[in-house]
C-alpha cells in the first residue's frame, strides 16, 4: 500500500498476472519495464486500481549497464523513491545459448547493479528491496534445458549473496522460484541440441500451476518481504 | 595413458599445475587452448614427458559457437579422436559483469556445445568425457563476489544436467570444484560495487590450498571418471 514498484517483465506470462495481483494492494506507482509492448495487457492493468499509476517503459535487459542506469534515473527523477525492484525477465530456449544467459542472468545482474546507485546506503541511499524470479530448475535442473537451468541456478546463488550484503548496502533481496507454470514459455520450447524434442509435452505431464496461482503466491512472498528468502 | 586431452585454460594458475600433473600420466596428446601465450610454461610442459605431444592453440572462450567448432574441427582432423575435454577458463573480478559471465559460464557452455558435434552418439560420434572446473562458490557463495559465485553455480548445475543426458548423447560429465586456491586470481580481486575492498585479504585468512595440491586432486578426479561426479 502506497509503494512504488518497478517490475521488469511485468507484462510477461507470469508477469501480467502478478501485476494484476499487485494492483489489488493499492500501490502508489507500478512502473513496468518490458521488451514487449502489450497494449491490451497494459490497458487492463490500468483499469484495476484507480489509485495506482501504472506506467510502461520499453526496456531490454540485455542493454549495457549504463543504459539501465539511464532508464532508472528517469524513474527516480520522477518518483523520487522506489521501494521494490522485481526482476522477472526470462527466456526458455536452449537453442539460444547467448540470449538465455544474457536475459536470465546477465540482464538481471545489470539491472540490480544499476539500481544500487540509487539505493546503496554507502552513497546515502535509502536502501530497497530486490525480488528476483528464479526457478525450481535452479535447484533441480530440467536437464533437457541445461543452459536455462544453469542460468537460474546463477540467479538463486546471486540473490543469496545480495541478501548477505544487505548489512553493507541496505538493500535486501529474496528470490521467488516458481515450479512448472503453464505459461506460453513452456507450451513449446527447444531442448539443448534437441536432446528431447518432446520436452514441453513431457514437462506438462507433471503437476503444474496456472499463472494466476503462481501470481498469488508470488505476491504473498513479496508481502512477507524476508531478506534471503527462497520461495 | 594413451589418451588425447583438450585442456581449455591449461596454462592458467590451476591449469598449468594440472597440466604438469596430467603429463605424468603418459597421455598421447595434450592440446592446450588458452587465451594466454605463456611460452615459458608451455616449454616446461613439453619437457615433462617425451611420449606426450603437447600442442598449443590460442583460444578465447568468448568467441561465437561457430568459431569454437572451427577450432575443434582442426584438432579432430589432426588427432581423429579426443577422449577428454577440460573446461577451465575462469576470471574473478566482479567489476566486470559481462566478462565474468561470458568466460565462466557462456564460454564453457559454447565449448561444450561445440564438441558435441564430434562426440554425440546420435550423430554417430564415439562419446566423450567433459570435465568442468566449477568452484565451491557454486554451492556456497563468496557473497562479496556474487556475479562470480553465480556463474559458478551455473557451471555446477549445467554439468549435472550434462551427466543426466549421457544416456542420450554418450558424453559423460563431472565437475571439479576447488576451494580457495592460492592462485594469482585470489591475490587481489574486485568485489561487486566494492562492497568489501579487502575481500582478497579476508579470503586468504581461511584455510587454502596450493595450486599443486589442487592439481593433484584434480587429476585424481579425472582418473575416477565418475559421470555426474562433484569433486
Amino acid at each position: 500500500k502506497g509503494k512504488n514498484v518497478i517490475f521488469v517483465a511485468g507484462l510477461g506470462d507470469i508477469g501480467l498476472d502478478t501485476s494484476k495481483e499487485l494492483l489489488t494492494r493499492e500501490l502508489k506507482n507500478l512502473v513496468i519495464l518490458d521488451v514487449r509492448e502489450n497494449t491490451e495487457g497494459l490497458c487492463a492493468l490500468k483499469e484495476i486500481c484507480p489509485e495506482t499509476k501504472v506506467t510502461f517503459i520499453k526496456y531490454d535487459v540485455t542493454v549495457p549497464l549504463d543504459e539501465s542506469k539511464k532508464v532508472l534515473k528517469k524513474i527516480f527523477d520522477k518518483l523520487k523513491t522506489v521501494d521494490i525492484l522485481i526482476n522477472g525477465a526470462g527466456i526458455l530456449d536452449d537453442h539460444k545459448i547467448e540470449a538465455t544467459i544474457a536475459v536470465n542472468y546477465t540482464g538481471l545482474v545489470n539491472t540490480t547493479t544499476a539500481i544500487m546507485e540509487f539505493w546503496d546506503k554507502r552513497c546515502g541511499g535509502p536502501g530497497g528491496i530486490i525480488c528476483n524470479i528464479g526457478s525450481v530448475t535452479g535447484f533441480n535442473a530440467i536437464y533437457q534445458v541445461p543452459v536455462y537451468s544453469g542460468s537460474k541456478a546463477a540467479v538463486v546463488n546471486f540473490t543469496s549473496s545480495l541478501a548477505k550484503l544487505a548489512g553493507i548496502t541496505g538493500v535486501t533481496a529474496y528470490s521467488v522460484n516458481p515450479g512448472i507454470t503453464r505459461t506460453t514459455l513452456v507450451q513449446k520450447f527447444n531442448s539443448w541440441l534437441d536432446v528431447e524434442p518432446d520436452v514441453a509435452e513431457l514437462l506438462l505431464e507433471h503437476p503444474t500451476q496456472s499463472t494466476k496461482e503462481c501470481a498469488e503466491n508470488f505476491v504473498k512472498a513479496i508481502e512477507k518481504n524476508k531478506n534471503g528468502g527462497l520461495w
Side-chain angles (χ1 to χ4, degrees), chain A residues 1-2 4 35 42 45 50 66 69 81 109 157 162 173 175 210 217:
Chain A
K1 198 177 153 92
N4 292 334
V35 75
L42 191 63
L45 291 181
D66 280 341
K69 286 184 186 172
T81 59
V109 171
N157 183 297
L162 293 182
S175 61
S210 68
N217 289 314

Side-chain angles (χ1 to χ4, degrees), chain A residues 2-227:
Chain A
K3 302 280 187 193
N4 292 334
V5 176
I6 298 177
F7 194 165
V8 178
L11 292 175
D13 289 310
I14 291 179
L16 191 60
D17 273 340
T18 306
S19 292
K20 284 181 191 163
E21 189 71 19
L22 277 170
L23 287 168
T24 66
R25 292 344 195 239
E26 297 175 38
L27 310 179
K28 192 166 166 200
N29 281 281
L30 175 63
V31 182
I32 294 178
L33 304 184
D34 207 313
V35 75
R36 276 162 291 234
E37 291 182 84
N38 177 351
T39 320
E40 204 184 330
L42 191 63
C43 286
L45 291 181
K46 286 183 173 172
E47 284 169 8
I48 294 175
C49 176
E51 286 122 61
T52 309
K53 188 160 194 276
V54 180
T55 15
F56 171 79
I57 301 173
K58 196 170 164 69
Y59 177 62
D60 176 347
V61 294
T62 65
V63 297
L65 181 58
D66 280 341
E67 289 301 310
S68 301
K69 286 184 186 172
K70 276 183 206 162
V71 170
L72 292 173
K73 184 161 192 325
K74 275 185 205 160
I75 300 171
F76 276 84
D77 280 349
K78 206 167 163 195
L79 305 187
K80 307 303 173 204
T81 59
V82 172
D83 300 284
I84 307 179
L85 166 66
I86 305 172
N87 283 308
I91 61 170
L92 170 56
D93 181 348
D94 259 26
H95 281 190
K96 296 182 180 157
I97 295 170
E98 318 267 346
T100 297
I101 300 170
V103 171
N104 296 6
Y105 187 43
T106 318
L108 176 143
V109 171
N110 272 338
T111 310
T112 301
T113 306
I115 208 166
M116 297 303 287
E117 193 167 300
F118 307 93
W119 273 354
D120 195 330
K121 72 177 185 189
R122 296 174 300 159
C123 322
I129 301 166
I130 288 170
C131 169
N132 288 333
I133 308 192
S135 158
V136 291
T137 63
F139 307 98
N140 207 338
I142 301 176
Y143 59 86
Q144 297 90 342
V145 283
V147 185
Y148 172 86
S149 298
S151 73
K152 291 299 187 172
V155 169
V156 173
N157 183 297
F158 177 74
T159 310
S160 302
S161 292
L162 293 182
K164 288 181 188 149
L165 291 167
I168 295 166
T169 61
V171 177
T172 61
Y174 51 88
S175 61
V176 173
N177 299 280
I180 307 169
T181 310
R182 293 187 296 279
T183 62
T184 53
L185 225 61
V186 304
Q187 291 312 310
K188 185 152 187 57
F189 59 94
N190 291 310
S191 60
W192 184 62
L193 294 172
D194 294 318
V195 285
E196 177 47 74
D198 298 326
V199 60
E201 289 79 357
L202 289 171
L203 198 65
L204 290 172
E205 285 174 11
H206 288 81
T208 59
Q209 64 179 350
S210 68
T211 52
K212 191 165 187 310
E213 288 169 299
C214 179
E216 285 166 8
N217 289 314
F218 197 142
V219 175
K220 278 184 204 161
I222 293 173
E223 288 178 325
K224 292 270 187 196
N225 187 28
K226 184 171 179 297
N227 187 38

